[in-house]
Amino acid sequence: MRIYYEKRGTGPMLVISQSGEGDAGYSVDLVDRLVDDYTVVTYDRRGLSRSAMDVRGAGATVTEHADDLHHLLAELTDQPVRMLGCGIGAVIGLHLAIGHPAQVGMLVAHEPSAPLLLPAVQRLRYERELAGIQQVYRRDGVAAAFKAVARSLGIDLSNANAEPDLTPQPLTPQRVVNFGFLIEHDFTAFARDTVDYSALKDTTVRIVPAHGRTTPRTTFAYRCAVELAALLGKNLAEFPGGHNGNTTHPRAYAAHLLEVLD
């Protein structure tokens, strides 16, 4: 599997593993504000955009997503990198912290989509919610599922409080395909993940559990961040915006990320 990636900037390497259906160009406004300090690597996760899979209808496990990033990092550098993981990207980062800790010096894990972090009752609710969104997608299509995902994550689709002059992110045909892959395959992947997160207590990776300032405290994404912080015995770092603050508040998010990374 060949993973498409983009590399910009100068300085130590910072890898961004995107949330949702985000590909290498998804957080361009954030990257623009990091490249003076870091060599920023973004990539198309397996199944998305230019990393489309050869077998139509095939999915990938979270372990496979993590292995993809492991091999990409081995190709790019022999030094530990800093990493920002958002949503499923944070879950991929946590897998690396367990399986390949020498590759990651520091991981900012923003609201990981990780049902296994939750107590059993909450986990079951989260898995049912994911399955419900899949049913909405199959019955009513992308537009309805997009709204269902936004409700689940507490995202305001109007972007009423977003920073001005953002790069447009229209629902292009390619993004529609990516979103379909996320719903059909990646939702199933992290619902069926079997990693033992207790191993994170022994990792050498410095993990910073993070959440969005405006993410509703009732969402499962926020609860996952809370449970990760509790597992590690750390405080939650608060970032501007909500679950998708890296795209709605890139200026403020980048400024805070630079502080945290330092």
Side-chain angles (χ1 to χ4, degrees):
M1 182 72 209
R2 187 68 182 172
I3 298 297
Y4 173 85
Y5 71 92
E6 296 176 359
K7 184 169 71 169
R8 295 174 51 201
T10 57
M13 188 168 290
L14 169 63
V15 175
I16 300 178
S17 191
Q18 313 281 6
S19 61
E21 81 289 359
D23 61 14
Y26 185 63
S27 56
V28 59
D29 292 329
L30 177 67
V31 174
D32 284 346
R33 289 156 179 85
L34 298 171
V35 292
D36 288 341
D37 296 273
Y38 289 96
T39 299
V40 183
V41 174
T42 57
Y43 68 102
D44 295 354
R45 196 169 66 243
R46 180 188 293 228
L48 305 184
S49 298
R50 291 141 297 196
S51 296
M53 300 174 67
D54 296 332
V55 180
R56 184 178 295 275
T61 65
V62 180
T63 298
E64 287 173 326
H65 284 312
D67 283 345
D68 288 340
L69 185 53
H70 158 61
H71 291 300
L72 177 59
L73 291 178
E75 180 182 319
L76 294 175
T77 180
D78 59 0
Q79 298 297 313
V81 303
R82 293 171 175 87
M83 181 175 175
L84 167 66
C86 300
I88 186 173
V91 179
I92 292 169
L94 294 174
H95 270 248
L96 278 184
I98 293 170
H100 304 283
Q103 290 188 302
V104 183
M106 180 178 184
L107 167 66
V108 178
H110 186 115
E111 298 185 12
S113 304
L116 279 175
L117 285 170
L118 300 170
V121 173
Q122 290 185 28
R123 183 189 316 153
L124 182 58
R125 272 195 228 132
Y126 191 8
E127 291 169 352
R128 286 175 175 168
E129 188 168 304
L130 294 172
I133 294 172
Q134 288 178 319
Q135 291 175 358
V136 169
Y137 171 70
R138 293 162 189 160
R139 183 184 65 238
D140 302 323
V142 168
F146 205 76
K147 292 177 182 177
V149 170
R151 285 194 298 272
S152 174
L153 297 172
I155 292 174
D156 177 9
L157 289 178
S158 73
N159 282 342
N161 296 314
E163 292 176 349
D165 303 319
L166 300 178
T167 300
Q169 297 281 357
L171 203 57
T172 61
Q174 181 61 70
R175 194 175 173 201
V176 167
V177 172
N178 289 349
F179 192 74
F181 187 90
L182 167 72
I183 297 293
E184 285 286 12
H185 299 297
D186 283 341
F187 273 25
T188 299
F190 52 74
R192 293 180 179 174
D193 194 15
T194 58
V195 69
D196 181 6
Y197 282 117
S198 66
L200 291 172
K201 290 184 285 189
D202 299 318
T203 186
T204 56
V205 179
R206 181 186 170 201
I207 301 173
V208 179
H211 74 98
R213 183 173 300 135
T214 61
T215 300
R217 301 318 189 230
T218 55
T219 64
F220 288 111
Y222 176 78
R223 296 308 311 167
C224 288
V226 169
E227 293 297 335
L228 176 60
L231 174 68
L232 299 174
K234 296 184 177 181
N235 294 324
L236 270 174
E238 184 177 87
F239 276 75
H243 184 75
N244 59 340
N246 58 319
T247 58
T248 61
H249 294 72
R251 297 172 183 85
Y253 198 103
H256 191 56
L257 180 61
L258 289 171
E259 292 178 3
V260 170
L261 292 174
D262 286 341

